Amino acid sequence: MPLRIDGPHRRYNPLLDEWVLTSPGRLDRPWQGQTEPSTPGARPAYDPECYLCPGNRRAGGAENPRYDGTFAFDNDFPALGRLTVGARPPTDGMLRADPVSGHCRVLCFSPRHDATLATMAPPEVRATVDAWCTETERAAAREAIRYVQVFENRGDLMGCSNPHPHCQIWAVDHVPSVPSRKLAAQGAYHDAHGSDLLGDYLEVELAEGERIVLTNDGWVALVPFWAIWPFEVMVLPRRAVGGLVELDEDDRRSLAEIVAELTARYDALFACEFPYSMGWHGRPAGGHADPAWRLHAVYYPPLLRSATIRKFLVGYEMTAEPQRDLTAEEAATRLRETPGRGAGPGARDS
Ligand code: H2U
């Protein structure tokens, strides 16, 4: 029996050991606050001013090759670098700071300035999936790297600096805060149950069905029970794989299909280029396969009720705990019923 909860309640997120206050029915309240500009007009296929278009000069002075597929390069303004010998900050006490080093890359999905994952042809989305995997593998093989984060900021609302379709890959010499909490939670769950947390969670979701957005032979896209962002989605492999580097040919094919379909539905939901931050959470780099950790992607889109009204994580959310109005079940229903690429309304499988 699907879980039915009416009225305000809190939901537990076992991956991050935190709660979200859920207040169904608050979406009808009046809004006289900020609205966002709607999606800008159509972009050209090539923009002579774009730092990422083929053949153009980047801000750092390097010239892009005339690439015709995906294109990755070292970030000209990296957030991380080599550890400066002799500049080691204090590592304990009240004022704690640890040294950090790493490597930052930028990956363009397409030579076309106007392309997006939502509209790119299936072979191009597949090439992007392959590049996520190869870039992760290369980054993880670098000396002293402990964790690789692939992430995409899409849209001005999410602070994306350029509409040319791209993502970033940051490889670091430590496990950062969020994956570190996920590492602890999945490890503790595996110790206690002998199975993986997200695998067991996926079984519950598939049995209930209410929060499922899309499924195919390799992957499931769902709105997590504990979602914070209105149309937050998690993409999970059916198979117990720990990282992008472990995906085989079939996994990659079906992943490209579900990513293409999910992003198309996002865009169709409010008839705009749906902004989001997405990221891949794979097991830390190095070492052996970890049966506790299941690879997953998280999509965090800020839009709430239209292309111009966003959710703000402020007030109670900043000072006490995240809160949402639209339930995860309502969000999943909306996304499920939104027509995607060629799939009619209500179609479930990508
Ligand atoms: P965002 O749009 O998500 O900010 O990513 C763009 C990245 O591209 C950003 O990290 C880099 C920025 O440093 N970049 C270059 O490396 N070279 C450039 O010429 C422009 C932008």
Side-chain angles (χ1 to χ4, degrees):
M1 265 293 275
L3 192 68
R4 289 242 163 252
I5 321 173
D6 296 321
H9 58 277
R10 295 167 82 212
R11 296 189 184 196
Y12 181 62
N13 177 346
L15 259 187
L16 292 174
D17 186 24
E18 64 181 27
W19 293 83
V20 53
L21 172 61
T22 305
S23 319
R26 273 187 86 235
L27 264 194
D28 295 335
R29 68 189 190 283
W31 180 260
Q32 293 183 319
Q34 179 176 320
T35 56
E36 309 298 333
S38 54
T39 303
R43 290 188 295 277
Y46 167 75
D47 177 355
E49 302 298 320
C50 170
Y51 294 124
L52 304 181
C53 275
N56 289 2
R57 199 163 287 285
R58 296 204 300 272
E63 193 174 297
N64 295 327
R66 296 190 180 278
Y67 64 96
D68 58 8
T70 59
F71 167 55
F73 62 91
D74 287 351
N75 198 312
D76 298 307
F77 308 94
L80 301 142
R82 286 195 170 282
L83 178 63
T84 316
V85 180
R88 191 180 174 84
T91 54
D92 54 21
M94 193 64 84
L95 302 180
R96 180 174 168 177
D98 282 359
V100 66
S101 66
H103 193 75
C104 300
R105 301 265 290 168
V106 179
L107 167 68
C108 299
F109 302 154
S110 163
R112 285 190 62 142
H113 189 72
D114 58 349
T116 91
L117 287 173
T119 53
M120 276 157 56
E124 294 175 305
V125 183
R126 170 60 201 267
T128 299
V129 167
D130 287 339
W132 285 339
C133 300
T134 46
E135 282 294 318
T136 301
E137 190 163 16
R138 277 188 204 147
R142 297 179 80 94
E143 197 188 339
I145 293 304
R146 286 275 291 126
Y147 185 77
V148 180
Q149 183 63 58
V150 175
F151 65 94
E152 178 191 359
N153 289 322
R154 189 188 194 217
D156 295 344
L157 229 63
M158 297 312 289
C160 180
S161 62
N162 185 326
H164 194 111
H166 68 282
C167 73
Q168 299 191 48
I169 301 102
W170 291 15
V172 290
D173 65 351
H174 58 280
V175 183
S177 307
V178 172
S180 165
R181 284 160 70 193
K182 291 191 171 184
L183 182 65
Q186 292 179 99
Y189 184 93
H190 195 270
D191 288 348
H193 301 272
S195 52
D196 75 294
L197 192 163
L198 283 175
D200 289 356
Y201 172 62
L202 184 57
E203 271 184 32
V204 171
E205 289 293 14
L206 286 170
E208 287 212 358
E210 277 198 302
R211 286 167 294 277
I212 305 291
V213 176
L214 293 165
T215 63
N216 67 17
D217 56 331
W219 299 82
V220 176
L222 54 85
V223 179
F225 179 71
W226 53 78
I228 293 175
W229 295 96
F231 292 95
E232 180 175 331
V233 162
M234 178 183 278
V235 179
L236 283 157
R238 289 181 187 269
R239 213 161 68 76
V241 284
L244 286 167
V245 299
E246 294 166 33
L247 299 185
D248 65 19
E249 175 65 25
D250 259 0
D251 298 328
R252 293 181 186 202
R253 183 221 6 107
S254 50
L255 175 56
E257 286 167 11
I258 209 160
V259 165
E261 181 63 21
L262 174 65
T263 48
R265 291 201 186 198
Y266 266 161
D267 281 12
L269 185 65
F270 295 138
C272 68
E273 280 197 5
F274 207 67
Y276 58 72
S277 268
M278 79 80 73
W280 277 105
H281 281 161
R283 68 177 174 85
H288 299 292
D290 176 0
W293 188 299
R294 187 172 295 229
L295 171 70
H296 54 286
V298 288
Y299 283 80
Y300 298 139
L303 291 181
L304 175 59
R305 19 178 157 185
S306 70
T308 55
I309 298 185
R310 64 168 297 169
K311 174 176 177 59
F312 289 92
L313 276 181
V314 293
Y316 191 81
E317 285 101 331
M318 278 182 109
T319 57
E321 152 176 307
Q323 183 268 344
R324 63 180 287 132
D325 303 327
L326 181 75
T327 63
E329 295 73 37
E330 288 167 331
T333 304
R334 295 272 303 274
L335 285 169
R336 210 163 45 230
E337 291 177 351
T338 298
R341 294 182 173 223
R348 186 85 165 249
D349 292 324
S350 59

